[in-house]
Structure formats: C-alpha cells, structure tokens
Amino acid sequence: DQQVKQNSPSLSVQEGRISILNCDYTNSMFDYFLWYKKYPAEGPTFLISISSIKDKNEDGRFTVFLNKSAKHLSLHIVPSQPGDSAVYFCAASAVGGTYKYIFGTGTRLKVLA
Amino acid sequence: GAGVSQSPSNKVTEKGKDVELRCDPISGHTALYWYRQRLGQGLEFLIYFQGNSAPDKSGLPSDRFSAERTGESVSTLTIQRTQQEDSAVYLCASSADRVPSYEQYFGPGTRLTVT
C-alpha cells in the first residue's frame, strides 16, 4: 500500500527550462511534506518543505506547490541546472501524530546541458 | 561540523550470516532513524530512537532485525541470519528536534548485498 506515490521514475529536461516533479498521496491525515534530493552514493539531503496550511513555498529556484483537495504536490525547479541532476524523493508526515515520514519511490531528474 | 557517518559503506555477506551496521549521528541530535531502500523502492522506515525513550521498532520487518543506541550517540543495526531479500541500502538519519522532525540529516548509507 503505497501512501506516497511518485509515478514518474525519470524525467529529462533541458538546461534553463523548468523541471516539474510530481507526488501524490492517499492519506488525508498527512499535513507536512518534504522534498529530498539524492546524489549517487550519498544520503538524501533536505531540499524544501511545506505545511498543509500553505499552498506554496518558495526557496530560490525551488518552489513546492500543494493541492490538498487533489492530494498532490509538485516541486518546480526554475531554471534547471545540470547540477540538479539527482533522484528526488517526496515524503509526507502527519505532524500531529507521527514522526514517521512516508517516502515516495523517487524520480530521477536529468538536466541536459 | 561532521555529518552523519555510517560504516561500512559496502557489505557483502553470505546468506545466513549476521551483520552489524553502524551509524554515528550528528553530535547533539537526539533523534536517530534507520531506513531501508530496496532497489526501485522508496525509503522504508525501520526504527526510531529519541533520547532515552523506548524506541519505536514498528518498522522492523522481522525479529531477525534489531537495533541499539547508546544514549544519544552511536547506533548499531543488526540483522541475524541474513536473507537475500535483506539486500538493500540501509540509511541512518538524525535530527535535532523531537516531533516533528522537520529536517533529517542522512548518512551516505551502507549497501548490503546478501549472496
């Protein structure tokens, strides 16, 4: 039972263009969401988060959008850079209940120079 | 400052043998997590330690898996009588806060291969 889904295993984008990574969840109790980036042979690194009281959070080139009614969030990277090539994981948690994050399976982003 | 470190980085073992994986969290972080990532899968929660509280072991897949943590320092994850389905990358993370742990800092992982 995959509560957090990243349906696109991979994505290729031209340098300078927008990258959009999608994540869907099924548990309506989730109210805090994270995005992590992972390079090969390294652990995931925290990228950006969003609480369910917001529908958008922006940090530099990275913006996360949350659509609670659709149980969908997306990460936008603008402009995309070759160094952004990595695997991106979304994760969800019910802040008021559990400290356990449920992670998606990841999307491998390749930014082409 | 030093990040989360894990050892060994790679471990190849024969089916049926026991293995021990080590995690050194960031100094001062009270919370420590173990995750497993199988090929093509997301990160699977295994166990959570918070200070001196009883650990949450609800994610451990079987009684062959156990973990210990001494105070707020090193943790070891032990897998007894390893099986081929235990092959995965085992990731450790630590965080400074209790609940919610907004930002977990991950180690590089230990890649376990059971032959």
Side-chain angles (χ1 to χ4, degrees), chain B residues 13-21 36 38 44 46-47 57-68 76-88 90 112-115:
Chain B
T13 190
E14 291 180 354
K15 178 181 172 182
K17 295 283 180 68
D18 298 352
V19 294
E20 191 172 278
L21 313 179
R36 175 171 74 175
R38 289 166 156 167
E44 177 187 358
L46 296 178
I47 188 169
K57 304 180 181 180
S58 61
L60 295 178
S62 78
D63 59 7
R64 296 186 296 103
F65 288 72
S66 63
E68 300 288 334
T76 55
L77 177 69
T78 301
I79 309 172
Q80 296 178 308
R81 305 181 302 282
T82 52
Q83 303 293 313
Q84 288 185 328
E85 66 261 25
D86 300 333
S87 296
Y90 289 82
L112 175 66
T113 304
V114 182
T115 61

Side-chain angles (χ1 to χ4, degrees), chain A:
Chain A
D1 177 26
Q2 195 74 19
Q3 296 187 64
V4 178
K5 301 177 185 178
Q6 293 178 257
N7 292 318
S8 298
S10 64
L11 175 68
S12 291
V13 172
Q14 206 66 36
E15 181 180 7
R17 306 296 289 267
I18 184 171
S19 295
I20 300 176
L21 297 103
N22 294 305
C23 180
D24 296 289
Y25 60 97
T26 58
N27 190 341
S28 59
M29 297 299 292
F30 289 148
D31 54 7
Y32 203 82
F33 305 89
L34 301 157
W35 282 94
Y36 278 84
K37 179 169 73 172
K38 185 181 184 301
Y39 292 118
E42 295 182 12
T45 55
F46 171 76
L47 196 56
I48 193 168
S49 64
I50 189 166
S51 161
S52 61
I53 62 174
K54 294 185 175 182
D55 54 18
K56 176 183 172 181
N57 189 26
E58 191 172 351
D59 183 2
R61 294 186 298 113
F62 302 90
T63 303
V64 56
F65 295 92
L66 175 62
N67 182 333
K68 291 186 289 293
S69 61
K71 296 192 182 69
H72 176 84
L73 66 155
S74 61
L75 174 68
H76 292 210
I77 307 173
V78 183
S80 302
Q81 299 173 355
D84 297 329
S85 298
V87 177
Y88 290 79
F89 292 96
C90 65
S93 175
V95 168
T98 178
Y99 39 77
K100 292 179 226 177
Y101 282 97
I102 308 298
F103 283 79
T105 53
T107 296
R108 182 178 300 277
L109 173 66
K110 187 171 184 179
V111 180
L112 307 169

